[in-house]
Amino acid sequence: LVLLGSTGSIGTQTLEVLARLGQAAPRVVALAAGGGRLELLARQALAWDVPVLAITGGGEELAEHLRERHQDEERHGEGEAEQQAIRQARVGRALSQWERDVIRVLRNNIRLPPGVPEDLVARVIIQVLEDGTVMNARLADRSGNSTYDQEVVRAIERSNPLPPIREPLLMDEIRKQGGVALRFTPAQLR
């Protein structure tokens, strides 16, 4: 997603909606804004780990501002809440990407029963190592169709190892939580 006018009211509201979408949010790959609200643009870029910024006027100021802010925070230990927000955004983005990778792998290994409704949702807790090795997969929430639920777990087992987890912050969170919960629908897995 490329967001033009990210520091304006529509841009900030768009990022709020994306944050609420969590794993389902598209990746923000670029932000564009005027140079008048550099502090906000800097926070957005850090929180969403955006690789490309376009600024109309003030670009040099933003680069210097980001350097100074980083140095100040290191010296004074300020910005803990902001650092936590950045961490959460990175974990959310990494989880979304990993979930998409897992779904791609499961599509090759699932044997969906004929006539299974598209709107079923099975939530599975997966205990996984950094290299993608599945230690355990168990249903957390059943879909109401036991055949579908069992097939989702079997597809995870057949897909072992899953794609590796490349974001250390995500792996830390998975360890803390004792696994990662993913939701699967037949529509995703077809």
Side-chain angles (χ1 to χ4, degrees), residues 98 122-128 134-142 149 152-153 156-157 162 174 177-184:
W98 187 71
R123 194 167 70 95
V124 180
I125 295 178
I126 304 170
Q127 293 174 324
V128 62
V134 176
M135 303 305 291
N136 186 31
R138 64 179 170 80
L139 285 166
D141 295 317
R142 298 176 188 283
D149 295 342
V152 170
V153 173
I156 292 168
E157 292 166 351
L162 295 173
I174 290 171
Q177 299 297 323
V180 59
L182 298 180
R183 296 166 34 106
F184 299 102

Side-chain angles (χ1 to χ4, degrees), residues 31-190:
L31 296 174
R37 298 180 73 191
L38 295 178
E39 176 72 24
L40 176 57
L41 184 60
R43 283 197 314 269
Q44 291 173 340
L46 291 170
W48 289 89
D49 194 27
V50 176
V52 177
L53 294 177
I55 304 161
T56 56
E60 301 80 22
E61 291 175 35
L62 177 61
E64 183 60 29
H65 174 74
L66 288 172
R67 274 193 294 278
E68 287 174 7
R69 182 172 178 131
H70 180 69
Q71 290 168 351
D72 287 347
E73 287 178 1
E74 284 183 341
R75 280 194 299 264
H76 303 294
E78 296 174 0
E80 288 180 34
E82 187 172 325
Q83 292 302 317
Q84 182 63 22
I86 291 168
R87 176 185 167 89
Q88 289 174 343
R90 284 189 178 150
V91 167
R93 277 191 309 283
L95 179 58
S96 294
Q97 181 59 54
W98 187 71
E99 182 178 29
R100 285 189 294 270
D101 293 344
V102 167
I103 288 169
R104 272 193 285 278
V105 170
L106 292 186
R107 282 183 187 142
N108 296 325
N109 292 306
I110 195 157
R111 298 174 190 127
L112 289 173
V116 70
E118 297 288 308
D119 61 347
L120 297 177
V121 178
R123 194 167 70 95
V124 180
I125 295 178
I126 304 170
Q127 293 174 324
V128 62
L129 301 178
E130 192 171 350
D131 67 357
T133 301
V134 176
M135 303 305 291
N136 186 31
R138 64 179 170 80
L139 285 166
D141 295 317
R142 298 176 188 283
S143 70
N145 182 316
S146 62
T147 305
Y148 171 70
D149 295 342
Q150 292 168 6
E151 183 53 31
V152 170
V153 173
R154 281 193 293 267
I156 292 168
E157 292 166 351
R158 282 192 293 270
S159 300
N160 196 4
L162 295 173
I165 297 171
R166 292 184 169 82
E167 173 57 64
L169 293 175
L170 174 57
M171 196 62 228
D172 290 346
E173 193 64 30
I174 290 171
R175 283 186 194 109
K176 276 192 249 177
Q177 299 297 323
V180 59
L182 298 180
R183 296 166 34 106
F184 299 102
T185 67
Q188 290 174 310
L189 297 173
R190 290 199 194 283

